Amino acid sequence: MLTPTLSSRYIRDLLAQLADLHVGCNIGGLLINELAYADDIVLLAPSWKAIQQLLTVLQQHIANIGMICNAKKSVCMIFEPKDRAKIMNVSFPQFTVAGNFLQFVKVFEHLGQVITDTLSDDDLQIATRDS
């Protein structure tokens, strides 16, 4: 296993590559496409095409440094817009990481925080994933 310093360096380079794409979600006037803590990374994008672009960069980067993405611990979540008239599509093709399909979920736990597709923290249900 890489030391925390080396791991941080490789992840930092990946995050810089993702930020350089200028693809992401406008949150409070900032363009954000990733949230990261150590090797836990959340990718954010406003469209299927944009998230696929982020996943492609992620896959290329980790392959170049000899790392792998655990598809069993990786999921996709779609947040519906508050204005339902802005929904353009109700189904999306599945994403893949290292040839493995990613599961679409409505609820999951990330770093101890339950996240739901309704943007509510009232839901105490925790998504189950293989460890």
Side-chain angles (χ1 to χ4, degrees), residues 79-91:
F79 299 96
E80 294 184 6
K82 290 182 182 181
D83 182 354
R84 300 213 25 99
K86 293 184 179 179
I87 295 175
M88 299 183 71
N89 201 351
V90 293
S91 65

Side-chain angles (χ1 to χ4, degrees), residues 7-21 33-36 38-43 53-63 65 67 69:
S7 179
S8 173
R9 181 191 181 288
Y10 287 123
I11 298 300
R12 185 178 55 236
D13 290 346
L14 168 62
L15 299 179
Q17 281 185 326
L18 293 172
D20 287 345
L21 292 175
N33 63 6
E34 82 257 345
L35 303 173
D39 64 346
D40 286 317
I41 300 172
V42 175
L43 299 177
Q53 189 176 5
L54 296 173
L55 283 170
T56 298
V57 168
L58 171 76
Q59 289 176 351
Q60 290 170 346
H61 183 83
I62 64 174
I65 61 174
M67 293 177 74
C69 182

